[in-house]
Amino acid sequence: MNQNVQPNFYSIIPADLRYDNRLNATEKLFFSEISALTNALGYCYVGNKYFSKLYDCDVRTITRWIKSLEKFGYIKVELIRDEKQVIKERRIYTRESMKGGYGQNCLYPYGQKYPRE
């Protein structure tokens, strides 16, 4: 697993998450990082150590943020295990990535071509 990922993808913070008072500001920003990392494969595969270094915090803090986002339904964590039930990989999905993402057909206001009047 490449832990030296530097995504250059956009990130999205859905409105309901932005205004969810159960989450703190850092958890909301953390969600945007997960969102950016799901753009490549449809899920985020980097480990907690990567996030810990990126946000200069303890790995346990990352674990709490992930649990909080999962508890409130903003992400889904899937553990991939081998035949001995040892965890091989962790995949984090956002609601949007589980639905197929925002996709290329999604027209944001800044991407739309409006006819000139």
Side-chain angles (χ1 to χ4, degrees), residues 2 5 7 17 30 39 43 47 58 63 66 68-70 74 83 85 95 101 105 114:
N2 183 0
V5 177
L17 185 144
F30 178 65
N39 286 321
Y43 59 88
D58 193 82
T63 301
I66 290 171
S68 180
L69 289 167
E70 187 174 32
Y74 294 109
E83 60 279 346
Q85 296 302 309
R95 291 178 307 187
N105 295 328
Y114 296 101

Side-chain angles (χ1 to χ4, degrees), residues 2 4 8 16 19 21 33-34 36-38 46 54 62 64 69 72 80 83-84 86 91 101-103 113:
N2 183 0
N4 296 321
N8 59 356
D16 59 333
Y19 301 116
N21 292 329
E33 191 69 35
I34 293 171
L37 290 166
T38 62
V46 299
L54 183 66
I62 300 299
R64 280 194 308 272
L69 289 167
F72 297 121
I80 310 296
E83 60 279 346
K84 295 180 182 179
V86 175
R91 296 178 179 180
Y102 291 100
K113 294 183 180 177

Side-chain angles (χ1 to χ4, degrees), residues 5 7 30 33 37 48-57:
V5 177
F30 178 65
E33 191 69 35
L37 290 166
N48 290 5
K49 286 184 184 179
Y50 167 82
F51 289 126
S52 174
K53 288 179 184 176
L54 183 66
Y55 288 97
D56 191 27
C57 65

